[in-house]
Amino acid sequence: MSSDEPSRKHKFDLRDHEAETPFLRVLASSPAVRWEGVLAFHFSLAPVTDLEARDQSWPFDNLALHLKGKPNPVTFLEAGRQKQAISHPGSLCLYPRGSANRFQWTESAVNLSFGVVPDLMRQVILETQRGDPDQFELIPANFFYEPLLEHLGKTLVLLLQSHDRGTRLYAEALGLHLAHHLVYHHANRHQPVVGPAHMASVQVQRAIEHMHTHYAENIALKDLAAASGFSLVHFSRLFRKATGMSPYQYLIQVRLQRAHDLLCTGRLTVAEVAVKVGFYDQSHFRSTFKRFFGYNPGDLLKGNMD
């Protein structure tokens, strides 16, 4: 047996939403629900003890998010050297397109692999004048924490699990947001940054970050415009172009996601959660929550959801 035969035996392509290996089982995926632009694969992992037998090749710029499971001791190869780390729920790894990685781990886990298709990354790079897409590179990173990316990943999981067809638009808008974030915060620094298109995207990102920080407050459009540095009219147009939705729609979805997370803890009532995330009309909160997730907020407290 040649030295590379074990690697070939265990290679897998997550784009095949029915892919299974002795250590990986896909639970839900974006190809199965026909999302465009954004890729997301929710999967479970069994322990792997043979570092040389696991060769993971990424056909897209990919983030791996540890969702559930015990702290997981991981051994991996980085720049040809063997290293060790502990993956905790919430930790992320960034694998640029075309990179190959080998890992072994000792605990079962549930993970999410998510990213955007190469054509969308290319479009964002061109539109924001970040340089030559053919020379553009994301910086690989292992086991880091970034709340915004963790939130994006967990939102994509919820959308994969939802039976509401209306979630597709939201998911694809999140994919565009993810592409912009990766371009601005996780790319090589030698690319030129010129022109107003780059400034517009950075300033819209500031407004988005303001919403994620102050979602429970009575945010006014002028507050978001001020955070971005644009006029009210100019900001609204640029925000919709960047995210595919109005600032109000985006804020509502941020609040709903946070409400879902709080309800899952079982520590607060539906009414308490509604107020905590910025809804002061209980009826509006319940109807909006059900329309977005496809079930009532109280179902989470009753244990009716998986």
Side-chain angles (χ1 to χ4, degrees), residues 36-94:
E36 294 184 6
V38 60
L39 296 165
F41 304 87
H42 187 209
F43 57 94
S44 62
L45 289 170
V48 165
T49 57
D50 183 358
L51 181 66
E52 295 304 317
R54 309 297 181 229
D55 189 354
Q56 304 178 46
S57 181
W58 307 106
F60 59 95
D61 293 315
N62 170 65
L63 287 154
L65 171 62
H66 185 170
L67 290 169
K68 297 179 181 178
K70 299 178 181 178
N72 203 349
V74 179
T75 302
F76 59 98
L77 295 180
E78 183 176 272
R81 299 182 62 183
Q82 185 168 306
K83 295 188 176 183
Q84 294 182 330
I86 297 180
S87 177
H88 295 268
S91 69
L92 291 140
C93 293
L94 172 58

Side-chain angles (χ1 to χ4, degrees), residues 75-194:
T75 302
F76 59 98
L77 295 180
E78 183 176 272
R81 299 182 62 183
Q82 185 168 306
K83 295 188 176 183
Q84 294 182 330
I86 297 180
S87 177
H88 295 268
S91 69
L92 291 140
C93 293
L94 172 58
Y95 310 117
R97 179 164 58 103
S99 62
N101 307 87
R102 293 185 180 183
F103 293 83
Q104 70 179 38
W105 53 90
T106 59
E107 299 287 346
S108 299
V110 176
N111 285 16
L112 175 75
S113 172
F114 64 111
V116 294
V117 299
D119 285 347
L120 180 57
M121 286 294 292
R122 185 180 184 87
Q123 178 184 344
V124 169
I125 294 164
L126 288 172
E127 290 184 354
T128 56
Q129 302 182 39
R130 295 289 291 187
D132 181 358
D134 295 328
Q135 302 298 319
F136 194 88
E137 297 178 350
L138 293 179
I139 301 170
N142 287 310
F143 307 107
F144 66 98
Y145 296 87
E146 190 168 328
L148 179 59
L149 289 177
E150 181 183 358
H151 176 79
L152 282 173
K154 289 181 176 180
T155 302
L156 290 172
V157 171
L158 291 173
L159 296 179
L160 283 176
Q161 295 171 340
S162 173
H163 299 293
D164 184 353
R165 292 184 179 181
T167 59
R168 177 179 177 178
L169 179 61
Y170 184 25
E172 293 176 359
L174 289 179
L176 181 59
H177 176 38
L178 174 61
H180 278 276
H181 184 82
L182 292 175
V183 165
Y184 288 116
H185 297 287
H186 291 276
N188 51 358
R189 300 304 180 197
H190 64 265
Q191 294 288 328
V193 178
V194 295

